[in-house]
Each structure stands twice: as C-alpha cells, then as structure tokens.
C-alpha cells in the first residue's frame, strides 16, 4: 500500500458489521478523504444504518466487501472476531495487502491471525468512548483516544489512520491489551454502577433528585482523580474515620444489603492505595481495616 508522507493513501473502505461503532468509524474515514464503497448488512436496522450513514456503500456479502476494499473495518462483536477473520480467509478471498481493522478493546492484532496468514495487514484500533448510536458520536470521536495495537512495521499506518479521524493514538503492546481493556471497563462500566447505586441509596434516604445532588460532587471527584490520582482522594477512609465507616456498613446491611460487599471491597482498596501513598497513618489504617474485616 502506498503512503504519502507517512499518511495512508486514499483508500476504498468496507465495513463488515455496520453497527454503532462501524458506521461511525466508516463515516470518520470518509470525512478524512477515504471512500466507503461496501458494507455487509443483514437486519433491516443495519441496512437502514448503511443507507443513512454510509450512503456511498453497496450492500454485499462479507467476502465481497473484502474484495471491493483496501481497508476493511471488521466491527463485529468481540466473540465473533476470530471466527469472522477465519471465515474470510477460508473463502479464498485475496486478502494480500488489505488493511484489516477491528475496534475491540479486549483484543490485539493476534485475533486476526487467520487473515494475517492469508496476507492481510492487521490493526487493532479501539476508540475509548461510549457510542450512543446518535449523530453526536462522530463529533465525540474527535475528542477521544484510540488504543492502537499492530505489528511494529504497521504502527505508522495505524496511528496515521487514527489521526486522520481526528483522534489521538495511544500505543498498547499486544501482550497488554487485555489489561488495557480491563482498566477501561473497570473505570467506565463500574463507574456507572457506582453512580446508579449511590443514586438509589439517596432515593432510599429521601432525596427527591439524587442526580442534582450528586452531579457537582462526582464531577469534582472525577476531575480530582484524573488530575491528581489517589492524591485527589477525600472522605472518611482517607481520614481513618473507622466509626463513620462502621456506621455506613451497618446502615447498608439494614437498607441495601446487596451493596455491602462492594462498599467494603472498595473501601479496602481505597485504604490500601492511601497507605501506599503515605496518606493514611498506620494507627488509623489499623482501626479502619479492623472494621472492614468484620
């Protein structure tokens, strides 16, 4: 594949799996000057998405999409990636020199091995953002980072594609890809769980609009955590207020027993981080940890 000053040449793009992610990445590549020429779509919803978001694409079978394209977005569910790559290779489609891109956070380029053996150029480009399926996804893409994993010789192409989409590439080694994804899932997904649980507890405490009360507090906490790490911590665990924490656990056992385990485990992790950072005095930590072991 020819490049111009480190940038990929204008490419014919195909999308296998034009869902929320695939359709947005296809549009972003189109906006960067590439042309979306083909997409595979089975359901009526997928066909409608292709028609509205990828209007220059012909609807074809997956193997035909690969044949018609220089770059193929393989944006299928994580568990289907290996099988789809193997299926493409098994069709006998000429994959030599074709850029094969998946957007899974959990996988590196190794999951595309069957297609790689057949001559494809494998890239893992994971946009670290939540897709809503709405038009604003395309604009949000320009403000996010992509976790980039590829064979070293393909790294310039992978990073250039991300930059062309207006985003920032962040290199993730192949053997750290699952750890990378665990970090993102733990932060983003569990944050939603924690906020929803806090809102539910506030409702049980008689607060009529939990979101209004939580928004400034959580916004400040997130900002502090992103800027300062554990040094942005505040609250009873940092202060070593064992009595306060014990009272929390007692009330949770009485009113929301399903929340006790997560509260205790997170308090322990918070205490450990604070101890390691020298922010929690040993004598305070001992009393606190004693409460958390009960």
């Amino acid at each position: 594949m020819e490049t111009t000053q480190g940038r990929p040449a204008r490419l014919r793009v195909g999308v296998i799996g034009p869902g929320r992610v695939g359709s947005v990445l296809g549009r972003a590549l189109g906006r960067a000057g590439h042309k979306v020429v083909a997409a595979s779509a089975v359901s009526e919803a997928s066909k409608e998405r292709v028609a509205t978001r990828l209007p220059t694409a012909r609807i074809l079978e997956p193997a035909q999409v690969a044949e018609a394209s220089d770059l193929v977005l393989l944006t299928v569910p994580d568990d289907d990636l290996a099988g789809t790559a193997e299926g493409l290779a098994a069709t006998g489609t000429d994959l030599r020199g074709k850029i094969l891109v998946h957007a899974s956070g959990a996988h590196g380029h190794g999951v595309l091995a069957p297609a790689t053996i057949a001559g494809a150029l494998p890239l893992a480009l994971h946009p670290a953002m939540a897709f809503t399926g709405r038009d604003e996804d395309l604009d949000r893409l320009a403000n996010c980072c992509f976790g980039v994993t590829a064979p070293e010789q393909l790294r310039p192409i992978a990073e250039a594609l991300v930059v062309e989409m207006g985003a920032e590439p962040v290199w993730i080694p192949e053997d750290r890809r699952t750890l990378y994804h665990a970090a993102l899932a733990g932060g983003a997904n569990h944050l939603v769980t924690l906020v929803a649980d806090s809102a539910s507890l506030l409702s049980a405490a008689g607060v009529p609009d939990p979101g209004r009360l939580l928004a400034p507090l959580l916004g400040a906490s997130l900002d502090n955590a992103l800027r300062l790490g554990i040094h942005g911590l505040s609250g009873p665990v940092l202060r070593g207020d064992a009595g306060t924490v014990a009272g929390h656990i007692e009330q949770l056992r009485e009113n929301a027993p399903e929340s006790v385990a997560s509260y205790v485990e997170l308090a322990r992790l918070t205490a450990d981080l604070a101890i390691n950072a020298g922010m929690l005095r040993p004598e305070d930590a001992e009393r606190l940890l004693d409460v958390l072991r009960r």
Side-chain angles (χ1 to χ4, degrees):
M1 183 192 66
E2 296 181 356
T3 61
T4 303
Q5 296 181 342
R7 297 177 58 191
R10 300 308 89 187
L11 303 170
R12 296 171 299 160
V13 176
V15 184
I16 297 177
R20 291 182 178 183
V21 178
S23 61
V24 170
L25 296 186
R27 286 183 67 188
L29 289 169
R31 189 165 64 176
H34 304 290
K35 184 176 181 180
V36 182
V37 297
S40 66
V42 176
S43 69
E44 289 304 315
S46 293
K47 292 177 181 178
E48 177 63 23
R49 196 176 291 114
V50 171
T52 57
R53 295 193 168 187
L54 308 171
T56 59
R58 294 180 296 153
I59 294 180
L60 302 172
E61 293 298 316
Q64 294 173 315
V65 171
E67 288 175 353
S69 308
D70 304 308
L71 183 154
V72 181
L73 290 172
L74 201 59
T75 42
V76 298
D78 288 5
D79 289 347
D80 295 340
L81 264 176
T84 304
E86 186 175 1
L88 278 178
T91 63
T93 302
D94 187 0
L95 298 175
R96 290 174 297 176
K98 293 183 182 291
I99 302 172
L100 195 58
V101 177
H102 78 70
S104 166
H107 296 288
H109 63 83
V111 72
L112 302 177
T116 304
I117 293 170
L121 307 178
L123 309 179
L125 306 180
H126 173 246
M129 63 171 273
F131 288 80
T132 65
R134 300 167 62 89
D135 290 340
E136 60 261 28
D137 286 345
L138 186 62
D139 294 327
R140 288 176 177 170
L141 196 70
N143 294 314
C144 83
C145 294
F146 275 63
V148 174
T149 304
E152 187 62 36
Q153 65 271 30
L154 299 179
R155 180 172 176 172
I157 294 173
E159 293 180 339
L161 286 168
V162 172
V163 170
E164 284 194 333
M165 287 186 279
E168 180 181 346
V170 178
W171 182 253
I172 310 295
E174 177 78 8
D175 63 354
R176 293 291 185 267
R177 191 77 181 193
T178 301
L179 180 61
Y180 152 81
H181 193 243
L184 292 183
N189 303 156
H190 298 167
L191 178 61
V192 173
T193 303
L194 285 172
V195 173
D197 189 48
S198 293
S200 177
L201 293 173
L202 286 171
S203 293
V207 176
D209 186 0
R212 175 69 186 89
L213 190 152
L214 283 171
L217 174 65
L218 297 185
S221 295
L222 179 59
D223 179 66
N224 289 341
L226 291 174
R227 289 188 301 107
L228 305 172
I230 192 61
H231 292 280
L233 181 65
S234 62
V237 172
L238 176 64
R239 296 190 296 268
D241 289 340
T244 298
V245 171
H248 290 173
I249 295 172
E250 180 181 354
Q251 282 297 303
L252 288 173
R253 284 180 175 147
E254 182 177 335
N255 295 283
E258 69 281 359
S259 297
V260 172
S262 62
Y263 180 96
V264 169
E265 289 304 317
L266 284 170
R268 284 175 179 161
L269 179 57
T270 302
D272 287 343
L273 292 173
I275 292 168
N276 292 337
M279 300 166 62
L280 185 58
R281 295 184 302 176
E283 59 270 26
D284 292 334
E286 186 174 348
R287 290 194 300 272
L288 181 65
L289 293 173
D290 182 60
V291 167
L292 297 172
R293 282 192 290 264
R294 293 176 188 173

